[in-house]
């Protein structure tokens, strides 16, 4: 099994789980949106923080930069994303929103390497374009006003920030803490938005059906999917991990069909196939130059003792 197989499977599972939230969210359509999201993140944060404590992970002191990044991640990638997404549904069709947010693979393929001061790989960018096209085909090109498009772009920015702001935190905090801390920080943000926009009446207890839906969203779509995604992001990088974001519409399609809420059309199947093709193209990258040099070096070192004296300048390359 290749070194990228496990994180790739984790990234795929994370995005498929996120896709299932579309059908599950239909069961909580009557519950106040922002307070509902606060419940979801509170449950996820409690689970993740309990795991952190149970595993007795080494303590890590947070610098002011770490705290600001975590606050920004919670405000944009979690609370901000949900606010923009909810407002967008009032001015644009779900298909239009899905098409705009489906551009995540291309954005991460371009911006991810730039944040690391590297040039984007042409192969990854091309694969991301195929994945984004597949997501657009699966979602369909719906209608909406300019206001709706702008709000959808805000949701896209929030989704991109969810990954990019986590990158500098992952080496120090690890995927479990990076998943837990922003989820906890997003709770008061969403509660404040709920009170401002919907009033105190939005803070009601969910029905048993709604509670079950929030349990699914909190445990699987948030706690589990967030950890899997951040683990894959740390090990694959933003550009390659971002390819799997195109699986969100596929997860939504599978869940919708499995629950009997709809049927798979030709566009759905075509979009899913395009996404799969783009992911495979992006993951099958040629060996980097350093690997080729390493292979050549091993051949050189298999010769006689005198021939195996590698210059010091070459070893530092």
């Amino acid at each position: 099994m290749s070194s990228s197989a496990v994180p790739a499977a984790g990234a795929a599972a994370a995005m498929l789980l996120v896709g299932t939230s579309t059908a599950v969210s239909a069961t909580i359509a009557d519950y106040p949106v922002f307070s509902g999201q606060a419940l979801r993140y509170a449950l996820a944060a409690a689970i993740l923080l309990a795991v952190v404590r149970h595993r007795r992970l080494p303590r890590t002191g947070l610098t002011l930069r770490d705290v600001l990044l975590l606050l920004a991640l919670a405000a944009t990638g979690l609370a901000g994303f949900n606010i923009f997404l909810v407002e967008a549904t009032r001015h644009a069709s779900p298909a239009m929103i899905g098409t705009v947010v489906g551009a995540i693979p291309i954005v991460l393929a371009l911006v991810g390497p730039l944040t690391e001061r590297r040039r984007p790989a042409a192969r990854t960018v091309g694969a991301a374009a195929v994945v984004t096209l597949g997501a657009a085909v699966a979602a369909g090109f719906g209608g909406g006003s300019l206001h709706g498009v702008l709000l959808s772009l805000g949701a896209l920015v929030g989704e991109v920030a969810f990954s990019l702001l986590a990158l500098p935190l992952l080496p120090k905090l690890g995927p479990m803490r990076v998943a837990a801390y922003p989820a906890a920080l997003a709770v008061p943000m969403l509660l404040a938005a709920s009170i401002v926009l919907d009033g105190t009446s939005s803070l009601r207890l969910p029905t048993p059906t709604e509670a079950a839906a929030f349990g699914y969203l909190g445990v699987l779509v948030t706690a589990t999917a967030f950890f899997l995604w951040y683990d894959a992001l740390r090990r694959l990088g933003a550009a390659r991990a971002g390819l799997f974001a195109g699986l969100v519409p596929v997860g939504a399609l599978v869940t919708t069909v499995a629950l009997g809420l709809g049927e798979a059309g030709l566009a759905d199947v075509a979009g899913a196939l395009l996404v799969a093709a783009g992911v495979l193209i992006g993951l099958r990258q040629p060996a980097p130059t350093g690997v080729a040099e390493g292979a050549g070096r091993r051949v050189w070192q298999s010769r006689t003792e005198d021939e195996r004296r590698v210059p010091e300048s070459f070893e530092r390359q």
Side-chain angles (χ1 to χ4, degrees), residues 45-92:
I47 294 171
L48 290 166
L49 290 173
V51 173
V52 169
R53 184 173 181 178
H54 177 73
R55 293 178 61 184
R56 297 182 180 179
L57 299 178
R59 291 182 178 274
T60 55
L62 296 177
T63 64
L64 177 60
R65 176 176 177 270
D66 296 334
V67 172
L68 292 176
L69 282 172
L70 288 168
L71 286 170
L73 176 54
T76 58
L78 279 71
F81 170 77
N82 281 283
I83 291 172
F84 274 112
L85 192 64
V86 170
E87 289 300 313
T89 59
R90 300 174 181 173
H91 302 277

Side-chain angles (χ1 to χ4, degrees), residues 227-246:
F227 168 73
L228 290 174
W229 177 252
Y230 282 141
D231 183 56
L233 189 66
R234 177 185 61 171
R235 298 165 70 177
L236 294 177
R240 298 181 76 194
L243 296 172
F244 292 92

Side-chain angles (χ1 to χ4, degrees), residues 75 82 94 103 152 181 188 198 252 292 314:
N82 281 283
S152 299
Y181 294 167
D198 301 322
F314 181 82

Side-chain angles (χ1 to χ4, degrees), residues 123 126-131 134 243 247 270-284:
R123 187 186 186 95
V130 175
V131 170
L243 296 172
L247 292 175
L273 292 175
L274 281 171
V275 167
V279 169
L280 290 175
I281 292 171
L283 291 179
R284 295 185 61 183

Side-chain angles (χ1 to χ4, degrees), residues 6-314:
V6 173
M15 292 298 101
L16 288 171
L17 282 172
V18 171
T20 65
S21 65
T22 303
V24 176
S25 295
T27 64
I28 54 173
D30 296 331
Y31 195 87
V33 175
F34 299 113
S35 55
Q37 294 300 316
L39 284 175
R40 162 192 175 183
Y41 287 130
L43 174 59
I47 294 171
L48 290 166
L49 290 173
V51 173
V52 169
R53 184 173 181 178
H54 177 73
R55 293 178 61 184
R56 297 182 180 179
L57 299 178
R59 291 182 178 274
T60 55
L62 296 177
T63 64
L64 177 60
R65 176 176 177 270
D66 296 334
V67 172
L68 292 176
L69 282 172
L70 288 168
L71 286 170
L73 176 54
T76 58
L78 279 71
F81 170 77
N82 281 283
I83 291 172
F84 274 112
L85 192 64
V86 170
E87 289 300 313
T89 59
R90 300 174 181 173
H91 302 277
S93 69
M96 170 61 78
I97 299 169
T99 300
V100 174
V101 178
I104 295 170
I106 278 190
V107 177
L108 289 180
L110 292 173
V111 180
L114 293 178
T115 61
E116 301 171 355
R117 298 181 180 180
R118 295 185 294 105
R119 187 170 56 186
R123 187 186 186 95
T124 304
V125 173
V130 175
V131 170
T132 303
L133 175 61
V137 170
F141 291 91
S145 64
L146 176 61
H147 192 196
V149 173
L150 293 176
L151 288 169
S152 299
L153 287 173
L156 171 62
V157 171
E159 188 70 8
V160 172
F162 177 74
S163 295
L164 295 186
L165 289 176
L167 284 173
L169 294 166
L170 285 169
K172 178 180 180 179
L173 301 180
M176 190 69 69
R177 285 193 177 102
V178 174
Y181 294 167
L185 291 170
V187 174
M189 298 178 184
L190 287 163
L191 286 176
S194 179
I195 293 173
V196 170
L197 297 175
D198 301 322
T200 56
S201 61
S202 64
L203 305 178
R204 68 170 176 84
L205 290 175
T207 65
T209 300
E210 291 169 338
F214 285 128
Y216 176 86
L217 292 172
V219 175
L220 292 178
V221 179
T222 307
T224 303
F226 279 21
F227 168 73
L228 290 174
W229 177 252
Y230 282 141
D231 183 56
L233 189 66
R234 177 185 61 171
R235 298 165 70 177
L236 294 177
R240 298 181 76 194
L243 296 172
F244 292 92
L247 292 175
V248 172
V250 179
L253 169 64
V254 172
T255 310
T256 300
V257 174
L259 295 179
L261 300 177
E263 297 180 355
L266 180 60
D268 299 316
V269 176
L273 292 175
L274 281 171
V275 167
V279 169
L280 290 175
I281 292 171
L283 291 179
R284 295 185 61 183
Q285 295 192 26
T289 305
V291 174
E293 290 177 353
R297 191 179 304 172
R298 286 193 294 273
V299 173
W300 185 9
Q301 290 175 340
S302 68
R303 297 178 183 176
T304 64
E305 184 68 30
D306 292 337
E307 290 174 301
R308 279 190 278 129
R309 294 174 183 172
V310 182
E312 185 180 355
S313 60
F314 181 82

